[in-house]
Amino acid sequence: MIANSLHVVDRSVIEQNEQVARKAYEQGDYVLCFLLVHSLVESLLRAFLTKTGKESFNVLILAYDAFLKAQGQTASTFVRELTDFNRRRNRVIHELWKRGYAATNQKLEAACSRAFMMLGLFIEWLETFDPEITEMGFDYE
């Protein structure tokens, strides 16, 4: 799958975003961290599903769910997790314009930690379908 999607995701962009997300977390910039991890998850889905970049995150989730069903997977835990993750991102954006950066940032440390964990687990899970997924630069450590 990945070989056909090299044009969709640039390895250096993935690695840079992962590094900046980790640094943002370490520095307590949880808004930036959370939004970058969301971007990484979206990039991961696009690379795995070989999507162009014009689809919404919700459309990517539906495509991923269809992929799982085609593989005979009936319990799609990550579909629920991805949906909840996207809803959380939408709430973060809403909080930014409603309450501001500092107030929103104070509430996001735990969400950032969980987002990193979910990204890592999702990469490992997708590797079971496509072992080349980590060659795109996605890191699950």
Side-chain angles (χ1 to χ4, degrees):
M1 245 186 237
I2 293 300
N4 296 330
S5 66
L6 291 175
H7 67 282
V8 176
V9 181
D10 182 336
R11 179 182 181 94
S12 65
V13 171
I14 297 299
E15 291 170 349
Q16 181 181 14
N17 285 346
E18 285 179 339
Q19 291 170 359
V20 173
R22 287 186 204 319
K23 187 174 182 179
Y25 183 83
E26 291 166 1
Q27 294 176 343
D29 191 348
Y30 305 119
V31 170
L32 178 59
C33 174
F34 189 84
L35 295 176
L36 281 169
V37 173
H38 188 279
S39 175
L40 287 164
V41 171
E42 182 176 339
S43 296
L44 178 62
L45 278 169
R46 287 188 191 288
F48 182 75
L49 298 168
T50 62
K51 297 297 180 181
T52 64
K54 296 180 182 181
E55 303 83 7
S56 71
F57 198 84
N58 287 331
V59 168
L60 293 172
I61 293 170
L62 293 173
Y64 171 66
D65 189 39
F67 168 81
L68 288 176
K69 287 178 180 168
Q71 299 297 312
Q73 300 286 326
T74 56
S76 48
T77 302
F78 275 115
V79 170
R80 186 179 67 250
E81 290 293 324
L82 292 168
T83 301
D84 291 345
F85 183 56
N86 199 45
R87 285 185 186 134
R88 175 66 161 207
R89 180 218 162 258
N90 293 341
R91 284 193 305 273
V92 167
I93 298 299
H94 179 77
E95 290 293 310
L96 280 171
W97 66 261
K98 186 176 180 185
R99 301 194 194 285
Y101 199 90
T104 303
N105 193 61
Q106 288 177 346
K107 299 178 181 181
L108 281 180
E109 182 176 5
C112 271
S113 180
R114 286 191 303 270
F116 271 125
M117 186 181 307
M118 185 199 64
L119 174 62
L121 291 171
F122 194 43
I123 293 167
E124 284 188 272
W125 170 246
L126 292 180
E127 236 183 344
T128 65
F129 297 105
D130 187 348
E132 296 177 9
I133 196 77
T134 54
E135 291 179 20
M136 288 300 302
F138 293 102
D139 185 13
Y140 55 82
E141 293 183 30

